[in-house]
Amino acid sequence: VTPQAAPAKEGVRIGSAAKQAGTTARTIRYYEEIGLLPSSNGRAGGAHRLYTEDDIERVRELLRLKNLLGLSLDELKTVIEAENAREHLKARFLSDASDEEKRAILDKLLENVDHQLALVNRRRKDLDELEADLTTRRRRAMRRRRELGDQ
Amino acid sequence: VTPQAAPAKEGVRIGSAAKQAGTTARTIRYYEEIGLLPSSNGRAGGAHRLYTEDDIERVRELLRLKNLLGLSLDELKTVIEAENAREHLKARFLSDASDEEKRAILDKLLENVDHQLALVNRRRKDLDELEADLTTRRRRAMRRRRELGDQ
DNA sequence: TTGCTCCTCACGTCACGTGAGGTGGC
DNA sequence: TTGCTCCTCACGTCACGTGAGGTGGC
């Protein structure tokens, strides 16, 4: 970053961000409205929103948890808190924090990840059951189909 | 069934049915309203709805597909059509149908089951990715946690 | 300058939740 | 007869979809 570099507006606009995250602009605006996503960095009223790769990754993550685990947007807010803690650690904002604080953050983060892993395993079990039932049905239909002969 | 047996009203009421299916009475009424479930057998206006074990199983199946595969109620109507065909076969209502008709029904049923299986596999793949990511995060947090020492 | 995408209301929709007021069956 | 559950409206809510009318940036 050279000294004369202007405070370049970084990031893509909402349409591109939405497409990359696999959703719509309206959804991103709505998530911002209810506080699930931060209001785009110091944006003036009426100005265009800009999103970095990290922002987009965050939207993807939210959608994944919502769709795969069936979490409500309200439940996702809890997840977001843990994500925020993770960002803090990652950016070393807390490198001057006490070990006790770091431990507390890591413990909360671990608790959250473990909770999500438990949900994942439950879902997988349910999916396994569904697949077993479908496979049984398929086998039966195939047998009956064969008894009728070809075409 | 003895001759003097009254035309006993069979089945449980909506509250019990909903609990057994893992949902609410309102949901069952709503599904009936939009035509996802048949209007309870010749029910007079204002009378109580009654549900058999088969009815309840059907509700469970709908909820499972909706929640696990993320299908809309509109998409579930397509599934229901195939389910209806299955019921016809099961009850042998079509034992006097031509082989051609039977083949057509079975083929449609197989197509539907295969479609659902494809969705199941896609979901499982997505779940696997999510789990991998969560596990990686967990490992990293655990390592950092250890570096800080106990308690 | 012309398109295109963006902006903010604001009403519509899907899948129910939640009373309000009344009726039915063990 | 007393509870309890059921009934039908009908309005509320969550998570967006969908224009309506206007402004901004390559």
Side-chain angles (χ1 to χ4, degrees):
Chain A
V1 181
T2 53
Q4 64 271 34
K9 296 174 184 178
E10 58 172 328
V12 299
R13 291 192 289 175
I14 198 168
S16 170
K19 186 166 284 184
Q20 291 179 55
T23 183
T24 68
R26 169 64 173 145
T27 294
I28 293 183
R29 285 196 204 99
Y30 181 64
Y31 286 7
E32 180 186 323
E33 188 185 329
I34 64 170
L36 245 188
L37 294 175
S39 35
S40 199
N41 263 346
R43 187 175 69 99
H48 288 192
R49 293 171 178 81
L50 291 177
Y51 298 90
T52 66
E53 183 52 43
D54 277 9
D55 293 335
I56 296 172
E57 183 54 36
R58 194 140 175 178
V59 175
R60 262 195 289 261
E61 188 61 22
L62 287 174
L63 292 171
R64 189 155 76 149
L65 293 174
K66 178 173 120 61
N67 293 329
L68 284 179
L69 303 186
L71 300 183
S72 70
L73 301 192
D74 221 62
E75 289 168 318
L76 284 180
K77 286 188 185 175
T78 308
V79 176
I80 276 299
E81 287 178 37
E83 290 287 312
N84 285 339
R86 194 162 76 105
E87 289 298 311
H88 278 214
L89 270 185
K90 191 179 169 189
R92 293 165 183 262
F93 281 179
L94 284 171
S95 56
D96 59 343
S98 72
D99 281 7
E100 251 164 307
E101 285 173 299
K102 290 182 185 171
R103 262 194 289 266
I105 290 175
L106 280 173
D107 285 347
K108 179 151 193 171
L109 211 155
L110 274 169
E111 189 187 320
N112 220 282
V113 169
D114 283 344
H115 181 233
Q116 288 176 50
L117 278 170
L119 289 179
V120 166
N121 286 327
R122 195 202 167 92
R123 281 265 147 172
R124 201 201 310 279
K125 218 184 117 222
D126 289 347
L127 264 188
D128 285 347
E129 273 180 44
L130 175 54
E131 187 184 30
D133 287 4
L134 287 172
T135 304
T136 299
R137 259 190 235 176
R138 193 188 138 82
R139 223 188 323 268
R140 279 190 200 146
M142 289 290 272
R143 182 170 358 108
R144 260 182 286 197
R145 184 68 178 74
R146 261 195 307 277
E147 285 166 13
L148 284 174
D150 302 333
Q151 247 298 5
Chain B
V1 181
T2 52
Q4 65 270 33
K9 297 172 181 179
E10 56 172 330
V12 299
R13 291 192 289 173
I14 197 168
S16 171
K19 185 165 284 184
Q20 289 180 56
T23 184
T24 67
R26 169 65 173 145
T27 294
I28 293 183
R29 285 195 203 98
Y30 181 65
Y31 286 6
E32 180 186 323
E33 188 184 330
I34 64 170
L36 246 188
L37 294 175
S39 35
S40 197
N41 263 346
R43 187 176 67 99
H48 289 192
R49 293 170 178 81
L50 291 177
Y51 298 90
T52 66
E53 182 53 42
D54 277 8
D55 294 334
I56 296 172
E57 184 54 35
R58 195 138 173 180
V59 174
R60 261 195 289 263
E61 188 63 20
L62 288 174
L63 292 172
R64 188 154 76 150
L65 294 174
K66 179 173 122 59
N67 294 327
L68 285 178
L69 303 185
L71 301 182
S72 69
L73 300 191
D74 221 62
E75 289 168 318
L76 284 180
K77 284 187 187 176
T78 308
V79 175
I80 276 298
E81 286 177 36
E83 289 288 311
N84 285 339
R86 194 163 75 105
E87 288 297 310
H88 278 214
L89 270 186
K90 190 179 170 190
R92 293 165 184 263
F93 280 178
L94 284 171
S95 57
D96 60 341
S98 73
D99 280 7
E100 251 164 307
E101 284 174 300
K102 289 181 186 174
R103 261 193 289 267
I105 289 176
L106 281 173
D107 285 347
K108 178 151 196 172
L109 210 154
L110 273 169
E111 188 187 320
N112 219 283
V113 168
D114 283 344
H115 181 235
Q116 289 176 49
L117 278 170
L119 290 179
V120 165
N121 286 327
R122 195 203 168 93
R123 282 262 148 174
R124 203 201 310 281
K125 216 183 117 223
D126 290 346
L127 265 188
D128 286 346
E129 273 180 44
L130 175 54
E131 187 184 29
D133 288 3
L134 287 172
T135 304
T136 298
R137 261 190 235 175
R138 192 188 139 81
R139 224 189 323 267
R140 280 188 199 146
M142 289 290 272
R143 182 168 1 104
R144 262 182 284 197
R145 184 65 178 78
R146 263 194 307 277
E147 286 166 10
L148 285 175
D150 301 336
Q151 246 296 7

